[in-house]
Amino acid sequence: MVCTLCKHPAVHFGNFQNRNYNRCTYCASVFLDSIDLPSASREEKRYQQHQNSTSNSGYIDFLSPLITVVTKNHGKAETGLDYGSGPNPVLTNLLKNRGFVVTAYDLFFSKNPDALQQSYDYVLCCEVIEHFHKPAESFRELFDLLKPGGSLYCKTNLLTPDINFKDWWYKNDFTHSFFYTTEALAYIRSHFGFTNLILKSDYIQFIK
């Protein structure tokens, strides 16, 4: 068994809520066993239940760190991609309303292949990377979507040493299949060729 991110050996970590998890012996990430990965149809049905909209003030607050960093670091003439924008691309629309040029892409709800044939000054992954079934392939794609010097902004909950995985609420969503550690982020930076990694309390920034 190997880690689906760094391809190092992984060991069985436990069974929680009738799902089997493995832990990488190198990057310490925890990930679902392949036999327990949800089907595409189950994923889509789950995502359709998300109640994300511009009228949800709590969700707007949740997105605010990404909106702030984009408005601070990027000009309105630059181009961005909201990768995994969901059934209602709130982040895309909020940035567009501020005059930014952002394209929504989602495997289920905004499947626009042309969007993946372009390059961008920044790519946003808000609560997306924990859903990757093949994170190594997905991060390679994300890296390739960026222009030189571009930024990849990710928002996810990291698995830190103080977390008791058994009791961790974040794992309870069956569509969450990969849980990253700071070691995993360092691997992503070095392996895929990012020049810098900035870890904030409410987002992660990789710079190409």
Side-chain angles (χ1 to χ4, degrees):
M1 186 184 304
V2 296
C3 176
T4 51
L5 173 65
C6 71
K7 307 306 181 183
H8 284 77
V11 296
H12 181 68
F13 187 60
N15 182 288
F16 308 100
Q17 297 180 319
N18 296 316
R19 295 191 292 272
N20 292 292
Y21 293 85
N22 307 301
R23 184 152 212 172
C24 180
T25 58
Y26 180 78
C27 73
S29 298
V30 172
F31 56 96
L32 270 177
D33 196 276
S34 60
I35 63 172
D36 289 314
L37 289 170
S39 65
S41 60
R42 284 191 74 208
E43 281 193 282
E44 184 173 5
K45 288 178 182 178
R46 174 70 180 93
Y47 302 147
Q48 288 172 338
Q49 297 172 7
H50 289 178
Q51 302 297 314
N52 301 333
S53 70
T54 53
S55 62
N56 185 334
S57 59
Y59 187 61
I60 302 304
D61 290 342
F62 179 76
L63 296 177
S64 64
L66 293 177
I67 295 171
T68 298
V69 74
V70 168
T71 55
K72 176 184 176 182
N73 291 351
H74 301 280
K76 294 181 180 179
E78 296 183 73
T79 57
L81 177 69
D82 183 1
Y83 186 99
S85 51
N88 186 5
V90 177
L91 183 57
T92 296
N93 293 333
L94 289 173
L95 287 168
K96 281 184 173 181
N97 290 342
R98 288 165 171 76
F100 288 86
V101 180
V102 183
T103 299
Y105 173 81
D106 190 277
L107 182 62
F108 299 106
F109 307 105
S110 298
K111 194 168 184 179
N112 173 16
D114 291 341
L116 302 183
Q117 303 305 314
Q118 304 175 42
S119 56
Y120 300 88
D121 297 290
Y122 57 94
V123 175
L124 300 157
C125 284
C126 184
E127 289 289 307
V128 171
I129 64 174
E130 66 274 8
H131 299 275
F132 289 162
H133 292 188
K134 298 178 179 179
E137 295 179 13
S138 297
F139 273 100
R140 172 54 62 195
E141 179 175 60
L142 291 169
F143 181 86
D144 291 343
L145 285 167
L146 288 169
K147 297 177 182 178
S151 286
L152 168 63
Y153 300 102
C154 302
K155 194 168 177 62
T156 192
N157 282 35
L158 292 179
L159 178 57
T160 56
D162 60 303
I163 290 174
N164 182 339
F165 191 81
K166 178 182 177 182
D167 300 326
W168 194 27
W169 65 272
Y170 200 59
K171 76 171 189 322
N172 295 340
D173 186 331
F174 70 86
T175 65
H176 290 183
S177 57
F178 198 99
F179 305 95
Y180 301 81
T181 61
T182 53
E183 295 93 334
L185 300 183
Y187 171 83
I188 292 168
R189 174 192 171 179
S190 62
H191 180 76
F192 295 100
F194 290 101
T195 62
N196 201 8
L197 164 64
I198 299 172
L199 182 58
K200 298 290 187 178
S201 61
D202 40 20
Y203 69 87
I204 303 156
Q205 180 182 3
F206 295 98
I207 302 175
K208 186 171 182 177

